[in-house]
Amino acid sequence: MSRPVHCLKCLGQRAGPGKLRSTWTKCLSGSRSVGTMAKWEINEYGDNEVLRLSETSKIPVIRDPYEVLVEVHAASMNPVDVAMRGGYGSKVINIRRKQCGSFQRGSEFPLTLGRDFSGVVIETGKKVGNFKPGDEVWGALDLYRQGTHAEYAVTVATECALKPKSLDHVHAASMPYVGLTAWNAIQRNGGLTREIAESKNIRALVLGGSGGVGSIAVQLLKSWGVEVTATCSTDAVDMVKDLGADHVFDYRSQDMIVDLKGIRGFDLALDTTGDKHSRDIAIDVLKPWQNSVFVTTVTPLVRNFDSYGPVMGLASSGLDLSQNILQGFKTGVHVRWSFFTPNVRRLRELTKLVDEQKIKPVVEGVFPFQHIKDAYKKLELRHLRGKTVIDVKSNE
């Protein structure tokens, strides 16, 4: 694939505040029209075959004074990308897309997937005061937005922050979505803050410590001084120990239940796997009747909306949550659901922890932009060791 070269000299110039030069026709250093870009898109939901590479798509434009146009240098893959390719969340997300007026030609298609990004600011809206063209930024887009598996993406100032100086774009792109998901689960839903962790002897259990969210959760908790126990498969035990976990158990081992019960008395359990058996074990080893919390990032809410529609989907989810709460009443444990939410303040805190070398990215594989289908196939195996990253600037 011939690769365009869009230079900051051309892209960073303005005809006026918040507007790109209307006179662009060709970049001085490239052969493609400056107004076009390459992106991966789908025009229907399905398997890998619905993914299509477009090399003549229009570069997105800023339509809101708080938006930022970013040249994407690297993006990452998350399980939600595979799920959304198949239609996951289409009903509830489309409600949000309609509210924001982001439908194209009356539907969400063509749809570009991808949440995480690391790249360079090209242009800012009139009311963006904290970024300027040339700034290196990272972030994660809300689910209703067109995604980052493209050479350019539009975000808002509240979805991105200055990139950690200690990371290149490839490694930076691996962290925002999972980092914010972990932070949201631990702090907002789990009720644990750094101040609480540092003032008490907190013990936490992370189910799925080798995955994207789990690997960040282990490190975040350790940076707060929490005693961390994690579960993972046999071949990931050493990796999770290297992340700082105090105890690591193989979830495939027959002795895992005995091992966990031997050190029972956890204040917080974070489930990133959605496995019911593991959930029941975790609830059993939390401190009963002492404000301990079980938080899961794998919930039936979106799938219920997809299956039953907004009204019945909400009712079905309410029933599911009620059953979890009832289980909590019986065991003396709070049971809560957690979701990814963009949060610029937490993203900035994550930047600080990375530059202080208290949290490091865990990247299992890097794929060139044109081989993105291979990355989707890899993610479908769901045997994750950290993150899979797309090098958008790769010339392979």
Coordinates of all heavy atoms in Angstrom, one line a residue, residues 242-289:
D242 N 5.9 -10.1 37.6 CA 6.8 -9.0 37.2 C 6.1 -7.7 37.3 O 6.7 -6.7 37.5 CB 7.3 -9.3 35.8 CG 8.3 -8.2 35.4 OD1 9.3 -8.1 36.1 OD2 8.1 -7.6 34.3
L243 N 4.7 -7.7 37.1 CA 4.0 -6.5 37.2 C 3.8 -6.0 38.7 O 3.4 -4.9 38.9 CB 2.6 -6.7 36.6 CG 2.5 -6.9 35.1 CD1 1.1 -7.2 34.7 CD2 3.2 -5.8 34.3
G244 N 4.2 -6.9 39.6 CA 4.2 -6.5 41.0 C 3.2 -7.2 41.9 O 3.1 -7.0 43.1
A245 N 2.4 -8.2 41.3 CA 1.4 -8.9 42.2 C 2.1 -9.6 43.3 O 3.2 -10.3 43.0 CB 0.6 -9.8 41.3
D246 N 1.6 -9.6 44.5 CA 2.2 -10.3 45.6 C 1.9 -11.8 45.6 O 2.8 -12.6 46.0 CB 1.6 -9.7 46.9 CG 1.9 -8.2 47.1 OD1 3.0 -7.9 47.4 OD2 1.0 -7.4 46.8
H247 N 0.8 -12.2 45.1 CA 0.4 -13.6 45.0 C -0.2 -13.8 43.6 O -1.1 -13.0 43.2 CB -0.5 -14.0 46.1 CG -0.2 -13.6 47.4 ND1 0.8 -14.2 48.2 CD2 -0.6 -12.6 48.2 CE1 0.9 -13.6 49.3 NE2 0.1 -12.6 49.4
V248 N 0.2 -14.8 42.9 CA -0.4 -15.1 41.6 C -0.8 -16.6 41.5 O 0.1 -17.5 41.8 CB 0.6 -14.8 40.4 CG1 -0.1 -15.1 39.1 CG2 1.1 -13.4 40.5
F249 N -2.0 -16.9 41.1 CA -2.5 -18.2 41.1 C -3.0 -18.6 39.7 O -3.6 -17.7 39.0 CB -3.7 -18.4 42.1 CG -3.3 -18.2 43.5 CD1 -4.0 -17.4 44.3 CD2 -2.1 -18.9 44.0 CE1 -3.6 -17.2 45.7 CE2 -1.8 -18.7 45.4 CZ -2.5 -17.8 46.2
D250 N -2.7 -19.8 39.3 CA -3.1 -20.3 38.0 C -4.6 -20.7 38.1 O -5.0 -21.5 38.9 CB -2.3 -21.5 37.6 CG -2.6 -22.1 36.3 OD1 -3.6 -21.7 35.6 OD2 -2.0 -23.1 35.9
Y251 N -5.4 -20.0 37.3 CA -6.9 -20.3 37.4 C -7.3 -21.7 36.9 O -8.3 -22.2 37.2 CB -7.7 -19.2 36.6 CG -7.7 -19.3 35.2 CD1 -8.6 -20.1 34.5 CD2 -6.7 -18.7 34.4 CE1 -8.6 -20.3 33.1 CE2 -6.8 -18.8 33.0 CZ -7.7 -19.6 32.4 OH -7.7 -19.7 31.0
R252 N -6.3 -22.3 36.2 CA -6.6 -23.7 35.7 C -6.3 -24.7 36.8 O -6.6 -25.9 36.6 CB -5.8 -23.9 34.4 CG -6.3 -23.0 33.3 CD -5.3 -23.2 32.1 NE -5.8 -22.5 30.9 CZ -5.1 -22.4 29.8 NH1 -3.9 -23.0 29.7 NH2 -5.6 -21.7 28.8
S253 N -5.5 -24.3 37.8 CA -5.1 -25.3 38.8 C -6.3 -25.7 39.7 O -7.1 -24.9 40.0 CB -4.0 -24.6 39.7 OG -3.7 -25.4 40.8
Q254 N -6.2 -27.0 40.0 CA -7.2 -27.5 40.9 C -7.1 -26.9 42.3 O -8.0 -27.0 43.1 CB -7.1 -29.0 41.0 CG -7.4 -29.7 39.7 CD -8.8 -29.6 39.2 OE1 -9.7 -29.6 40.1 NE2 -9.0 -29.5 37.9
D255 N -5.9 -26.4 42.6 CA -5.7 -25.8 44.0 C -6.0 -24.4 44.1 O -5.9 -23.8 45.2 CB -4.2 -26.0 44.3 CG -3.7 -27.5 44.3 OD1 -4.6 -28.3 44.7 OD2 -2.6 -27.8 43.9
M256 N -6.5 -23.7 43.0 CA -6.7 -22.3 43.1 C -7.7 -21.9 44.2 O -7.5 -21.0 45.0 CB -7.2 -21.7 41.8 CG -7.3 -20.2 41.8 SD -8.2 -19.5 40.3 CE -9.9 -19.9 40.7
I257 N -8.8 -22.7 44.3 CA -9.8 -22.4 45.3 C -9.2 -22.5 46.7 O -9.4 -21.6 47.6 CB -11.0 -23.3 45.1 CG1 -11.7 -23.1 43.8 CG2 -12.0 -23.1 46.3 CD1 -12.8 -24.0 43.5
V258 N -8.5 -23.5 46.9 CA -7.9 -23.7 48.2 C -6.9 -22.6 48.5 O -6.8 -22.1 49.6 CB -7.1 -25.1 48.3 CG1 -6.4 -25.3 49.6 CG2 -8.2 -26.2 48.1
D259 N -6.1 -22.3 47.5 CA -5.1 -21.2 47.7 C -5.7 -19.9 48.0 O -5.3 -19.2 48.9 CB -4.3 -21.0 46.4 CG -3.4 -22.2 46.1 OD1 -3.0 -23.0 47.1 OD2 -3.0 -22.5 44.9
L260 N -6.8 -19.5 47.3 CA -7.5 -18.3 47.6 C -8.1 -18.3 49.0 O -8.1 -17.3 49.7 CB -8.5 -18.0 46.5 CG -8.0 -17.5 45.1 CD1 -9.1 -17.3 44.1 CD2 -7.2 -16.2 45.3
K261 N -8.8 -19.4 49.3 CA -9.4 -19.4 50.6 C -8.4 -19.4 51.7 O -8.7 -19.0 52.9 CB -10.3 -20.7 50.7 CG -11.5 -20.6 49.9 CD -12.4 -21.8 50.1 CE -13.7 -21.6 49.3 NZ -14.7 -22.8 49.5
G262 N -7.2 -19.8 51.4 CA -6.1 -19.8 52.4 C -5.7 -18.4 52.8 O -5.1 -18.2 53.8
I263 N -5.9 -17.4 51.9 CA -5.6 -16.0 52.2 C -6.8 -15.1 52.0 O -6.7 -14.0 51.7 CB -4.5 -15.5 51.2 CG1 -4.9 -15.7 49.7 CG2 -3.1 -16.2 51.5 CD1 -3.9 -15.0 48.8
R264 N -8.0 -15.7 52.3 CA -9.2 -14.9 52.2 C -9.1 -13.7 53.1 O -8.3 -13.5 53.9 CB -10.4 -15.8 52.7 CG -10.4 -16.1 54.2 CD -11.7 -16.8 54.6 NE -12.0 -18.0 54.0 CZ -13.0 -18.2 53.2 NH1 -13.9 -17.2 53.0 NH2 -13.2 -19.4 52.7
G265 N -10.1 -12.8 52.9 CA -10.1 -11.5 53.6 C -9.8 -10.4 52.7 O -9.1 -9.4 53.1
F266 N -10.3 -10.4 51.5 CA -10.0 -9.3 50.5 C -11.0 -8.2 50.7 O -12.2 -8.4 51.0 CB -10.1 -9.8 49.1 CG -9.0 -10.8 48.7 CD1 -9.3 -12.2 48.7 CD2 -7.7 -10.4 48.4 CE1 -8.3 -13.1 48.4 CE2 -6.7 -11.3 48.1 CZ -7.0 -12.6 48.1
D267 N -10.6 -7.0 50.5 CA -11.4 -5.8 50.5 C -12.1 -5.5 49.2 O -13.2 -4.9 49.1 CB -10.6 -4.6 51.0 CG -10.0 -4.8 52.3 OD1 -10.7 -4.6 53.3 OD2 -8.7 -5.1 52.3
L268 N -11.4 -5.9 48.1 CA -11.9 -5.6 46.8 C -11.5 -6.7 45.8 O -10.4 -7.3 45.9 CB -11.2 -4.3 46.2 CG -11.4 -3.9 44.8 CD1 -12.9 -3.5 44.5 CD2 -10.5 -2.8 44.3
A269 N -12.5 -7.1 45.0 CA -12.2 -8.1 44.0 C -12.6 -7.4 42.6 O -13.8 -6.9 42.5 CB -13.0 -9.4 44.2
L270 N -11.7 -7.5 41.7 CA -12.0 -6.9 40.3 C -12.0 -8.1 39.3 O -11.0 -8.8 39.2 CB -11.0 -5.9 39.9 CG -11.0 -5.4 38.5 CD1 -12.4 -4.7 38.2 CD2 -9.9 -4.4 38.2
D271 N -13.2 -8.3 38.7 CA -13.3 -9.3 37.7 C -13.3 -8.8 36.3 O -14.1 -7.9 35.9 CB -14.7 -10.0 37.9 CG -15.0 -11.0 36.8 OD1 -14.1 -11.7 36.3 OD2 -16.2 -11.0 36.4
T272 N -12.3 -9.2 35.5 CA -12.2 -8.8 34.1 C -12.5 -9.9 33.1 O -12.3 -9.8 31.9 CB -10.8 -8.3 33.8 OG1 -9.8 -9.4 33.9 CG2 -10.3 -7.2 34.8
T273 N -13.0 -11.1 33.7 CA -13.1 -12.3 32.8 C -14.6 -12.6 32.5 O -14.9 -13.2 31.5 CB -12.5 -13.5 33.5 OG1 -13.3 -13.8 34.7 CG2 -11.1 -13.2 33.9
G274 N -15.5 -12.3 33.5 CA -16.9 -12.6 33.3 C -17.2 -14.0 33.6 O -18.3 -14.5 33.3
D275 N -16.3 -14.8 34.1 CA -16.5 -16.2 34.4 C -17.3 -16.3 35.7 O -16.9 -15.8 36.8 CB -15.2 -16.9 34.6 CG -15.3 -18.4 34.9 OD1 -15.7 -19.1 34.0 OD2 -15.0 -18.8 36.0
K276 N -18.5 -16.9 35.7 CA -19.4 -17.1 36.8 C -18.7 -17.8 38.0 O -18.8 -17.5 39.1 CB -20.7 -17.7 36.4 CG -21.7 -17.8 37.6 CD -23.0 -18.5 37.1 CE -24.0 -18.5 38.3 NZ -23.5 -19.2 39.5
H277 N -18.0 -18.9 37.6 CA -17.3 -19.7 38.7 C -16.3 -18.9 39.4 O -16.3 -18.9 40.7 CB -16.7 -20.9 38.0 CG -16.0 -21.8 39.0 ND1 -16.6 -22.5 40.0 CD2 -14.6 -22.2 39.1 CE1 -15.7 -23.2 40.7 NE2 -14.6 -23.0 40.2
S278 N -15.5 -18.1 38.7 CA -14.5 -17.2 39.3 C -15.2 -16.2 40.2 O -14.7 -15.8 41.3 CB -13.6 -16.6 38.3 OG -12.9 -17.6 37.6
R279 N -16.3 -15.6 39.7 CA -17.0 -14.6 40.5 C -17.5 -15.2 41.8 O -17.4 -14.5 42.9 CB -18.3 -14.1 39.7 CG -19.1 -13.1 40.4 CD -20.4 -12.9 39.8 NE -21.3 -14.1 40.0 CZ -22.5 -14.3 39.5 NH1 -23.0 -13.4 38.7 NH2 -23.2 -15.3 39.8
D280 N -18.1 -16.4 41.8 CA -18.5 -17.0 43.0 C -17.4 -17.2 44.0 O -17.5 -17.0 45.2 CB -19.3 -18.3 42.7 CG -20.6 -18.1 42.0 OD1 -21.1 -17.0 42.0 OD2 -21.0 -19.1 41.3
I281 N -16.2 -17.6 43.5 CA -15.1 -17.8 44.3 C -14.6 -16.5 44.9 O -14.3 -16.4 46.1 CB -13.9 -18.5 43.5 CG1 -14.3 -19.9 43.1 CG2 -12.6 -18.5 44.4 CD1 -13.3 -20.5 42.1
A282 N -14.6 -15.5 44.1 CA -14.1 -14.2 44.6 C -15.0 -13.6 45.7 O -14.6 -13.1 46.7 CB -14.1 -13.2 43.4
I283 N -16.3 -13.7 45.5 CA -17.3 -13.2 46.5 C -17.1 -14.0 47.8 O -17.2 -13.4 48.9 CB -18.7 -13.3 46.0 CG1 -18.9 -12.3 44.8 CG2 -19.7 -13.1 47.1 CD1 -20.3 -12.4 44.2
D284 N -16.8 -15.3 47.7 CA -16.6 -16.1 48.9 C -15.4 -15.7 49.7 O -15.4 -16.0 50.9 CB -16.5 -17.6 48.4 CG -16.6 -18.5 49.6 OD1 -17.4 -18.3 50.5 OD2 -15.8 -19.5 49.7
V285 N -14.4 -15.1 49.0 CA -13.1 -14.8 49.8 C -13.0 -13.3 50.2 O -12.0 -12.9 50.7 CB -11.9 -15.3 49.0 CG1 -11.9 -16.8 48.8 CG2 -11.8 -14.5 47.7
L286 N -14.0 -12.6 49.8 CA -14.1 -11.2 50.3 C -14.5 -11.1 51.7 O -15.1 -12.0 52.3 CB -15.1 -10.4 49.4 CG -14.6 -10.0 48.0 CD1 -15.7 -9.6 47.1 CD2 -13.6 -8.8 48.1
K287 N -14.1 -10.0 52.4 CA -14.5 -9.8 53.8 C -16.0 -9.6 53.9 O -16.6 -8.7 53.3 CB -13.8 -8.6 54.4 CG -12.3 -8.7 54.5 CD -11.7 -7.4 55.1 CE -10.2 -7.5 55.2 NZ -9.6 -6.2 55.7
P288 N -16.7 -10.5 54.6 CA -18.2 -10.3 54.7 C -18.6 -9.2 55.7 O -17.9 -9.0 56.7 CB -18.7 -11.7 55.2 CG -17.5 -12.2 56.0 CD -16.3 -11.7 55.3
W289 N -19.6 -8.4 55.3 CA -20.1 -7.4 56.2 C -19.1 -6.3 56.6 O -19.2 -5.8 57.7 CB -20.8 -8.0 57.4 CG -21.8 -9.1 57.0 CD1 -21.6 -10.4 57.2 CD2 -23.0 -9.0 56.3 NE1 -22.6 -11.2 56.7 CE2 -23.5 -10.3 56.1 CE3 -23.7 -7.9 55.8 CZ2 -24.7 -10.5 55.5 CZ3 -24.9 -8.1 55.1 CH2 -25.4 -9.4 55.0

